[in-house]
Amino acid sequence: MNLCVLGAQWGDEGKGKIVDLLTPRFSIVARYQGGHNAGHTVYVKGRKFVLHLIPSGILHPGICCVIGNGVVVDPSALFAELDELAGMGVSIDGRLFVSDKAHVILPYHRELDILAEARRGEQKIGTTSRGIGPAYEDKIARRGIRIGDLADESPDGALAIAVRENVAARNRVVGNGDMKWPDVLASLRQAWTRLKPLVRDTSLYLHREMAGGKRVMFEGAQGTLLDIDHGTYPYVTSSNSTAGGAATGLGVGPSSIGKVLGVAKAYTTRVGGGPFPTELLGEAGERLRETGQEYGASTGRPRRCGWFDAVIVRYAARVNGLDALAITKLDVLDDLETLELCTAYRCGSETLTEMPSDVAQLSACQPVYETMPGWTEPTRGVTDFAKLPTNAQNYIKRLEELSGVKAAIVSTGSDREHTIVRGELLNN
Ligand code: GDP
């Protein structure tokens, strides 16, 4: 059975570790959306790897990795990551494939990203300014350049024309001198020589491999509440991070997705702007941030921190059809006297048990909390659910009840070994 692993909150849930942990059960790991704004931090035997674009499955010898058509690719970011992997002795030969339909992030996308954020002022989304949003804008506007288009080497072919037109459009918008389209074209031609061996029809590749009995893990970046359709719009990313994105972002049928695993922290974090009902300002939030080391893997930005919000995880269960949860960072809650779990929202005179679609309404919501006792014995490194302190077990059980999904995995530390794997859900 194939498996889709995705974020059930606002991203940074620790998907990297969970994907890494489960990778040996699969032959292929395929990424379906986002760009190099994602940052997966994986610790293997105490060694730290941060991957932005390439699935962390690449750290496992013999596993093949796919960057799907739903991803936007900045060739220079991809090459930097390849260089870093090579420097660490990780070979990608014959193991990494990039979709010919994935869109390319061009130098002007980055500039446009920065300009757009500056224009939003107070309402800024908090993007990573890496050109990802503008690259998706060009894709939807049907003027984007796809990886496969780079094969066109003719001096006055479709690629040259597209680059010329897009750079001219950029020069009309950006008022800081002219970008020269032949320079952009030359850099793309150079990128192609290195990209070429990796590029293929990855939908066909996956289809053939699955038909041959190979198992695939579909890897989502960011999280459900950042999905362009189902997230807290407009404070979202530019792609479908929810499970449906795996089908469109890789060219596989929905029925081949198999099961869906939602990764959620035992508390909640979010980066950038937008509503966050359980956010803790002040000391309590600071404690979670410091203990959980809640600073962006890609940008180093401090993350906003708060209590576990069962309303959003219940919502994630619905829009993704979650079969199970992986609860991460339980150890970060060690030593707290009491814990709060958000069960519903109070909005004016109403109590909402379902996530509102309107971001203004969500911003006006106050969390309704249920208080639970904390635990003093450490959970860090525990690998057996029964060995968790009773109050920690009760916390997980309550969180499951409120979310309506069972936790097949509980993570108690950043290392691969610091994990409780329970339930038959993942063993099929
Ligand atoms: P991702 O993008 O969803 O993979 O999340 P990030 O990699 O940005 O953030 C997750 C961080 O939490 C990484 O530094 C992980 O090593 C770390 N992490 C994952 N699981 C656990 C855990 O159970 N406990 C602790 N303390 N850290 C964890």
Side-chain angles (χ1 to χ4, degrees):
M1 176 87 73
N2 299 327
L3 181 72
C4 179
V5 180
L6 50 78
Q9 296 162 320
W10 275 287
D12 310 313
E13 297 93 346
K15 296 177 294 295
K17 170 183 162 167
I18 302 300
V19 168
D20 177 65
L21 176 83
L22 297 175
T23 294
R25 299 167 182 237
F26 299 88
S27 302
I28 301 167
V29 181
R31 169 96 188 263
Y32 59 84
Q33 44 74 233
H36 61 300
N37 50 349
H40 289 326
T41 315
V42 182
Y43 288 88
V44 184
K45 303 222 181 305
R47 208 163 145 204
K48 182 176 174 182
F49 295 83
V50 184
L51 293 163
H52 301 283
L53 198 54
I54 302 174
S56 54
I58 207 75
L59 300 175
H60 295 250
I63 300 285
C64 292
C65 290
V66 170
I67 295 177
N69 58 278
V71 177
V72 285
V73 178
D74 180 334
S76 55
L78 177 64
F79 298 154
E81 224 161 284
L82 291 175
D83 290 343
E84 201 178 330
L85 285 171
M88 293 194 263
V90 179
S91 162
I92 58 117
D93 280 353
R95 301 204 292 129
L96 178 67
F97 307 115
V98 181
S99 168
D100 53 359
K101 292 181 188 160
H103 279 247
V104 183
I105 300 176
L106 289 139
Y108 47 84
H109 288 135
R110 190 159 184 274
E111 292 177 322
L112 295 173
D113 213 353
I114 294 165
L115 275 180
E117 272 293 75
R119 226 178 286 127
R120 286 184 197 111
E122 290 281 287
Q123 259 65 54
K124 76 174 188 224
I125 295 170
T127 77
T128 50
S129 300
R130 292 183 181 176
I132 289 152
Y136 278 115
E137 281 177 42
D138 276 2
K139 170 178 175 173
I140 298 300
R142 294 168 292 186
R143 57 173 175 253
I145 292 171
R146 309 200 291 184
I147 298 268
D149 297 337
L150 306 187
D152 174 3
E153 287 171 0
S154 128
D156 49 5
L159 175 65
I161 293 169
V163 171
R164 197 177 63 211
E165 286 179 358
N166 284 350
V167 171
R170 172 266 175 210
N171 285 340
R172 283 193 294 275
V173 176
V174 182
N176 65 346
D178 280 354
M179 184 177 272
K180 305 275 185 281
W181 72 266
D183 295 346
V184 176
L185 184 61
S187 72
L188 289 175
R189 296 223 190 283
Q190 202 181 359
W192 176 245
T193 56
R194 193 166 176 192
L195 279 169
K196 197 173 172 181
L198 309 177
V199 177
R200 65 186 59 196
D201 178 340
T202 48
S203 161
L204 183 60
Y205 165 75
L206 287 171
H207 177 78
R208 287 187 174 148
E209 294 295 308
M210 290 190 294
K214 295 275 173 62
R215 291 168 56 147
V216 183
M217 176 157 46
F218 303 107
E219 179 182 339
Q222 291 90 38
T224 300
L225 275 292
L226 291 174
D227 181 279
I228 183 79
D229 284 284
H230 301 291
T232 47
Y233 190 90
Y235 300 97
V236 291
T237 195
S238 308
S239 57
N240 284 116
S241 45
T242 45
T248 55
L250 285 161
V252 300
S255 56
S256 56
I257 291 174
K259 292 200 166 170
V260 186
L261 178 71
V263 185
K265 277 178 193 164
Y267 49 98
T268 313
T269 63
R270 118 162 260 177
V271 182
F276 179 1
T278 63
E279 181 170 18
L280 289 168
L281 302 166
E283 217 175 285
E286 191 58 34
R287 189 223 168 260
L288 285 176
R289 183 156 38 252
E290 285 312 310
T291 315
Q293 278 303 295
E294 296 297 351
Y295 297 92
S298 274
T299 58
R301 281 187 291 183
R303 295 175 182 147
R304 298 158 67 192
C305 299
W307 295 120
F308 186 85
D309 183 343
V311 180
I312 67 165
V313 177
R314 208 157 50 227
Y315 174 72
R318 166 156 54 95
V319 298
N320 294 300
L322 295 186
D323 292 289
L325 284 173
I327 299 294
T328 61
K329 297 193 137 185
L330 182 67
D331 55 298
V332 173
L333 301 180
D334 287 356
D335 281 326
L336 288 170
E337 222 164 273
T338 54
L339 303 159
E340 309 284 350
L341 273 172
C342 170
T343 58
Y345 301 141
R346 179 101 50 224
C347 197
S349 57
E350 267 186 293
T351 300
L352 305 178
T353 52
E354 296 295 338
M355 168 91 176
S357 303
D358 177 27
V359 76
Q361 191 182 13
L362 184 63
S363 302
C365 285
Q366 297 301 319
V368 176
Y369 284 126
E370 187 174 293
T371 306
M372 295 200 71
W375 52 88
T376 46
E377 313 93 290
T379 63
R380 194 178 154 71
V382 172
T383 54
D384 178 358
F385 191 77
K387 294 211 171 112
L388 286 175
T390 309
N391 286 350
Q393 292 187 26
N394 290 339
Y395 180 73
I396 296 287
K397 285 180 193 158
R398 186 64 186 136
L399 186 155
E400 291 178 322
E401 277 168 14
L402 291 170
S403 312
V405 194
K406 291 275 183 209
I409 294 176
V410 178
S411 171
T412 57
S414 52
D415 218 276
R416 250 183 220 170
E417 285 73 35
H418 298 164
T419 318
I420 300 167
V421 180
R422 58 201 278 262
E424 297 66 54
L425 273 167
L426 300 171
N427 306 324
N428 44 65

